[in-house]
Amino acid sequence: MDNQEILNSIVNSKWYGISDYCRQFYQPSKIKYGIYVSGLERFILVDGLDLWSTMYAAKLLSSKFHSLVFPIDGNIDIELHTCLNFKPINNSDFPYEGQPPVLKDRITTETIQKLGPPKNQDLKKLIHDQEFCLFVLRISQAIKIIEGMFSNTNHRFYKNFFPESVTQYLKHGEDESMVGDGFVMEIEKLLYYSTSIDEAKKQIDLIFTENKKRPYSMKRYTALFNRLLDYDKR
Amino acid sequence: MIKDDFYYSYIAYYLLPHQRFILANYDKLSDGGKFHINVCRLLGNNMLQPRMGEWSLPWNVKVMPGYEMPKYDPNFKKTFSDVTDEFAQQIKYLINTKGLQFMVFYSGGIDSTVCLTALLKNLSARELANIHVNLSMDSIIENPTFFKNHIEKKFANRIHNSDIVDYSKAIHTGYVPITLDQGDTLFGTELGTGMYAKYNELINYISEGSRKQLIDLHDKVISLDTHYSKYEELIIAYFSIPKSGEYKFNPDFGKKFYRKVVKNIETSNVPIHTLHDFFWWTIFNIKYMFCAFRAPLHYGDEKDIEYSLKGGIVNWFGTEDYQKWSMANNNNGEKISGPSHLQYKWAARKYIYEFDKDDWYFNYKMKIGSLRNIFVRNYAKMESNFALGTDFKLIPIETPEAHEFLLEKLQNYKLDWL
């Protein structure tokens, strides 16, 4: 298998596409969004759907690596199965301070270069890691919708507007799901800490099975999660 | 009157108001004086002083006793793991014999993770009760898995949250601080890895005739068949680029700085051959004292400086064995296994990985400026002094005596290595 064949294998990932239901909320845009892994000096993900869910995924992935998020001109021929060949020009000027990802200016044809896959890396391992990143991105896109749809019962956004002396006593779940600190928060935490798709899926399944005792509240979250991700099929 | 007798000198060049007198008098300085200030344009400040070989300075700086470079021993056989575990055993001994309480200033980076790994590996649960961890939000999120799996569980009630590093406070509340400031000096990171990251861009600065050959040499930074002088044009280009965009590309300075480093190498008795040797030597010899003195001078009170420098602060990577390991392990893949961000501090990565088996950290960790918040909060203190006397007194820069001293010295300093 040559290098590009190995890179192409990502299109066979179960997480490559999005569900029809998810398409109602995300449509391919003229601009793509890339997660650039600073140490690797390559883009590990490129997606054409949404800046903020890409940024959100990068934050969750920051437990694994330092990254920058770039909008990328739509006329640049860079996709998920080729992005590991690309790096921005003058990347050595990027400040690498603090682990959280930073949003950068849009990449144009003048500011990107195609160099081939990173040297000294096991490409098959890299694709394995890329797939994990893709999985995190897809889950991120789904839970942002879930958060939006159930936002009337989600108080996390508002807590910072009130004194901690008051809110510290409000220890109920973040939302109606009654799962831990809230359904979205629990999924975020497990994505942040898990190191593989299998591990993350086991923990997601645990959230669903452990909370069967609250069938009404969890049922809506589970149904929406499955619908957005075609989760049962993956 | 300022006595020309220092253990350390430091000129910062961040155009803060109290540095402007240097700029205002720049044209009066000798070529040597201008060179000395222009080092700040390359590195952000000039804190360079040698432990070995020739490296002249405008004023008299001595190596403080206890900080001399050990004798080079090519037969030094201990591995990085050996040295690290043995040092942890020394901490264990001090806990058991003297009941000392230690405080590790954990940044989340590779160096401080090595330290905590060593302590976790070598100390019993009872002994670990004497280890406290000082960390910040930045530290936690730089390596959250390590925090969750090890720090949170095993140091539960001994975690101190701090966005301010204050070694004096630690000392005066009964702890022995452990600092990890010298990791970069052992591995030759920062200046070297900064150049490797810019390699393809630096090629554009050099003559066309040399480009092809230098492109081919990118992967040979630790190859024993490639002497650092083959990269001379590239190194000079790198040294010509100022740290701040407000200054111009200065190849005249780049050449002078390169020649000064080469002169130092040629007058030292440690073998320096490859490009990475060259950059390692720059930090191991010439920038070493800045890394060794940073904690006591910049993150503590003046009254504690002497005590801290004489062992009051444990400088984990400053031991003789670590330095001997560093000198005996050039170009064998232990310092860097290649020129990319993900290949530096290889021995340290392996040490951590053997303990925590975190593939992501091992494969993707790169150097992050995680102490930026701390530096920012300490800038005023760092730049308000320019030297430490051999009486362990700091010498402030913003006095008429200091101005007079600096101007006189910078007007008389010569480019004696050209």
Side-chain angles (χ1 to χ4, degrees), chain A residues 37-41 44 62-66 87 89-93 96-100 115 119-121 125-126 129-130 132-133 192-196, chain B residues 138 140-145 147-148 152 194 196-198 200-201 218-219 338-343 358-361 363-370 372:
Chain A
V37 177
S38 313
L40 200 59
E41 296 185 60
I44 201 163
S62 69
S63 57
K64 315 291 181 286
F65 49 69
H66 181 271
K87 108 174 187 179
I89 290 172
N90 293 335
N91 65 306
S92 56
D93 292 333
Y96 299 130
E97 292 177 349
Q99 192 71 6
L115 295 175
K119 291 182 195 173
N120 306 311
Q121 291 288 332
K125 166 91 178 58
L126 207 44
D129 294 343
Q130 185 184 43
F132 177 78
C133 297
Y192 186 65
Y193 284 112
S194 55
T195 56
S196 69
Chain B
D138 280 331
I140 295 173
I141 62 178
E142 192 163 331
N143 192 350
T145 309
F147 175 79
K148 180 170 170 253
E152 192 181 15
Y196 310 149
K198 279 184 180 310
N200 291 327
E201 292 144 42
H218 189 181
D219 289 332
S340 80
H341 289 291
L342 306 183
Q343 293 172 293
D358 184 344
D359 282 328
W360 287 99
Y361 192 80
N363 289 316
Y364 289 95
K365 180 74 187 91
M366 65 174 278
K367 187 172 179 68
I368 301 292
S370 55
R372 184 173 176 271

Side-chain angles (χ1 to χ4, degrees), chain B residues 277-296:
Chain B
D277 290 345
F278 178 93
F279 283 114
W280 162 75
W281 186 247
T282 311
I283 189 169
F284 185 76
N285 183 25
I286 306 165
K287 199 180 165 188
Y288 187 91
M289 296 310 293
F290 170 72
C291 298
F293 278 24
R294 183 165 53 200

Side-chain angles (χ1 to χ4, degrees), chain B residues 213-246:
Chain B
Q213 188 199 25
L214 278 164
I215 288 169
D216 292 341
L217 292 182
H218 189 181
D219 289 332
K220 290 185 173 270
V221 303
I222 54 170
S223 174
L224 284 168
D225 62 8
T226 310
H227 192 259
Y228 68 79
S229 58
K230 290 199 190 315
Y231 299 87
E232 179 176 328
E233 272 192 82
L234 216 57
I235 300 170
I236 290 173
Y238 180 55
F239 288 156
S240 305
I241 298 172
K243 193 176 174 83
S244 168
E246 64 194 284

Side-chain angles (χ1 to χ4, degrees), chain B residues 59-85:
Chain B
W59 34 74
N60 182 22
V61 181
K62 294 176 187 157
V63 180
M64 181 181 154
Y67 288 84
E68 301 92 344
M69 191 183 295
K71 191 166 181 291
Y72 169 57
D73 178 5
N75 298 314
F76 186 80
K77 290 286 182 249
K78 290 182 188 175
T79 64
F80 183 83
S81 295
D82 293 336
V83 174
T84 304
D85 288 335

Side-chain angles (χ1 to χ4, degrees), chain A residues 9-68:
Chain A
S9 61
I10 192 66
V11 305
N12 299 323
S13 167
K14 291 177 189 176
W15 303 96
Y16 185 69
I18 62 170
S19 69
D20 290 338
Y21 185 55
C22 213
R23 265 182 234 288
Q24 287 190 25
F25 304 95
Y26 298 114
Q27 285 286 317
S29 71
K30 288 182 185 170
I31 297 175
K32 300 169 202 175
Y33 306 102
I35 296 179
Y36 172 77
V37 177
S38 313
L40 200 59
E41 296 185 60
R42 295 291 187 277
F43 287 93
I44 201 163
L45 276 187
V46 164
D47 191 69
L49 295 183
D50 173 60
L51 170 61
W52 299 112
S53 58
T54 305
M55 191 77 197
Y56 179 60
K59 286 182 182 178
L60 294 174
L61 288 166
S62 69
S63 57
K64 315 291 181 286
F65 49 69
H66 181 271
S67 70
L68 306 171

Side-chain angles (χ1 to χ4, degrees), chain B residues 106-122:
Chain B
Y106 173 75
S107 71
I110 288 178
D111 299 336
S112 51
T113 306
V114 163
C115 172
L116 284 185
T117 299
L119 295 170
L120 287 162
K121 270 180 69 180
N122 289 278

